[in-house]
Amino acid sequence: MPFPEPREDLGLREGYHSPQVNVSVRLNTNESPLPPPAGWLEALAAELQAIDFNRYPDRGATDLRHALADFHEVRPEQVFCANGSNEVLQSLCLAYGGPGRSVAVFEPTYALHSHIAHLTGTAVAEGQRRPDFSLDLDVVYDVVAGAEPAITFLCSPNNPTGLADDPSAVRAVLGLAPGLVVVDEAYGQFADWSALSLVEEGVPLVVTRTFSKTWSMAAARLGYLIGPAPVVEMLERVVLPYHLDSFKQAAGRLALRFVGEMEERVGLIVRERQRILAAFGRLPVTAWPSQSNFILFRPEQRKGSEVWQGLLDRSVLVRDTSSWPGLAGCLRVTVGTPEENDAFLAALAAVLK
Ligand code: PMP
């Protein structure tokens, strides 16, 4: 019996993934290099005893949404939570995309925006960023006027370039885009400015966030968005019932008791990011200024893929973006602990010698 063919419009697209190889220094997926605070783990272990595992979880994730609403000073009705911010993005495409509709993206940017659009049968209208990776508002105008996208994706700070959009650019896109504007702020805590300040009832803007980076909880898969209540209500309708398990809901709610520790981590990463950038200044590489927990750089005298392999040979794994459109020769390194960053810089200097 032949296997059934999958949906034709999927076009056998390759999934988005980074190799998970065993190395001493893993700087390829922009996670936090530090474990969560010990106090959080203890509180979570205690909470585990109280979970009614024979019952479905609270479908509305009420306590978690209230805690996030308090944290961001919004109403709980403006908070939607999901299994990682990727599931938030997928829910947005399910609710607002679909056949006959499109999303707009500005490349190079986070590959999952267009990937999830394709998976949900949504067309993708693509514009290019300027050579310095900033948004070109003329391009934004042309793309949104041509495609009239249901969703316009921004990513600030942008993965994989590290640059954040400034408030005037986000305001301008809001003025141009006909549908919903989604600002993906997976790395928002590392930046000087957040589009959260522009979220208001009546404004078609949502901001997505994640617990995977600063909160040191990538393994828990928890993300959320802040936006107008009617958008949140639509997302609740498309998401699967009971999609957020009780354990995850508790994990997120308890994490919000450790804001001080989270801010300390952000401070450390930002200091280390500046230290790596300063060290890059003494090496034959071009690096882009970053407002994130990673840095995009391009070795000037060697092929990016060779440098990637040279680092791997020294047990340091970074992201090889050298063959991605618009990123010829570039690599992306996640900021690690001071020791990991020392190991990375020493390996890079040795490879480039
Ligand atoms: N948005 C961006 C820009 C990202 O880089 C990532 C992580 N790679 C995500 C969203 C997804 O994060 P999460 O772990 O919350 O699904």
Side-chain angles (χ1 to χ4, degrees):
M1 282 279 283
F3 264 75
E5 287 294 321
R7 244 172 62 196
E8 261 168 33
D9 63 322
L10 286 183
L12 293 179
R13 301 175 71 83
E14 242 200 76
Y16 174 85
H17 50 79
S18 189
Q20 286 193 310
V21 290
N22 232 345
V23 287
S24 348
V25 181
R26 227 168 70 182
L27 302 175
N28 64 329
T29 42
N30 299 345
E31 296 139 318
S32 168
L34 301 169
W40 173 79
L41 211 53
E42 278 161 27
L44 189 58
E47 194 94 7
L48 185 60
Q49 312 295 324
I51 292 177
D52 288 331
F53 274 100
N54 54 320
R55 299 291 176 193
Y56 282 115
D58 171 16
R59 186 164 172 174
T62 318
D63 293 346
L64 173 61
R65 284 169 71 184
H66 275 81
L68 280 165
D70 287 348
F71 180 57
H72 286 295
E73 299 177 349
V74 295
R75 293 181 300 120
E77 296 77 24
Q78 295 182 278
V79 184
F80 171 75
C81 301
N83 293 284
S85 52
N86 280 341
E87 198 193 27
V88 177
L89 301 170
Q90 186 189 52
S91 306
L92 283 163
C93 284
L94 286 171
Y96 293 95
R101 294 184 168 216
S102 66
V103 303
V105 298
F106 300 97
E107 298 288 354
T109 191
Y110 184 45
L112 263 263
H113 296 160
S114 45
H115 183 68
I116 293 172
H118 282 297
L119 291 180
T120 56
T122 316
V124 177
E126 211 179 282
Q128 294 301 313
R129 288 167 186 267
R130 292 199 188 92
D132 68 359
F133 299 134
S134 61
L135 268 184
D136 183 334
L137 290 176
D138 291 337
V139 170
V140 174
Y141 175 82
D142 287 346
V143 170
V144 302
E148 299 198 0
I151 299 174
T152 297
F153 281 112
L154 298 180
C155 189
S156 181
N158 186 32
N159 180 9
T161 63
L163 273 73
D165 293 320
D166 58 46
S168 62
V170 178
R171 279 199 196 91
V173 173
L174 257 177
L176 293 173
L180 194 62
V181 174
V182 176
V183 183
D184 180 337
E185 288 195 357
Y187 307 96
Q189 291 99 330
F190 300 103
D192 299 338
W193 176 78
S194 166
L196 279 168
S197 57
L198 301 180
V199 171
E200 253 186 78
E201 291 298 349
V203 176
L205 167 74
V206 300
V207 175
T208 65
R209 290 260 170 137
T210 179
F211 280 80
S212 297
K213 317 292 174 183
T214 29
W215 293 100
S216 298
M217 282 169 55
R221 310 299 302 122
L222 180 60
Y224 60 97
L225 72 67
I226 306 290
V231 175
V232 170
E233 205 185 310
M234 285 304 136
L235 300 177
E236 295 293 354
R237 288 193 202 173
V238 298
V239 84
L240 293 174
Y242 310 113
H243 67 133
L244 272 192
D245 63 80
S246 301
F247 189 72
K248 185 188 315 270
Q249 292 185 30
R253 180 169 46 76
L254 295 172
L256 295 167
R257 294 186 190 160
F258 295 87
V259 175
E261 283 84 344
M262 184 270 275
E263 283 171 352
E264 264 172 42
R265 282 143 204 264
V266 172
L268 171 74
I269 298 293
V270 169
R271 284 194 300 281
E272 283 295 299
R273 178 183 79 200
Q274 296 317 107
R275 186 169 76 87
I276 297 172
L277 278 167
F280 277 169
R282 299 186 286 275
L283 292 168
V285 301
T286 299
W288 282 266
S290 169
Q291 293 229 10
S292 190
N293 68 338
F294 57 85
I295 302 170
L296 187 76
F297 67 103
R298 187 179 60 217
E300 288 310 341
Q301 294 152 6
R302 297 278 306 280
K303 278 178 73 174
S305 52
E306 282 172 18
V307 174
W308 181 83
Q309 185 62 52
L311 290 170
L312 188 58
D313 294 342
R314 288 162 179 81
S315 210
V316 176
L317 181 63
V318 301
R319 193 71 189 257
D320 185 2
T321 55
S322 62
S323 60
W324 295 12
L327 297 175
C330 293
L331 302 175
R332 190 196 70 193
V333 62
T334 305
V335 177
T337 60
E339 297 73 28
E340 287 173 326
N341 301 331
D342 284 342
F344 159 68
L345 287 170
L348 183 64
V351 173
L352 294 177
K353 215 177 202 168

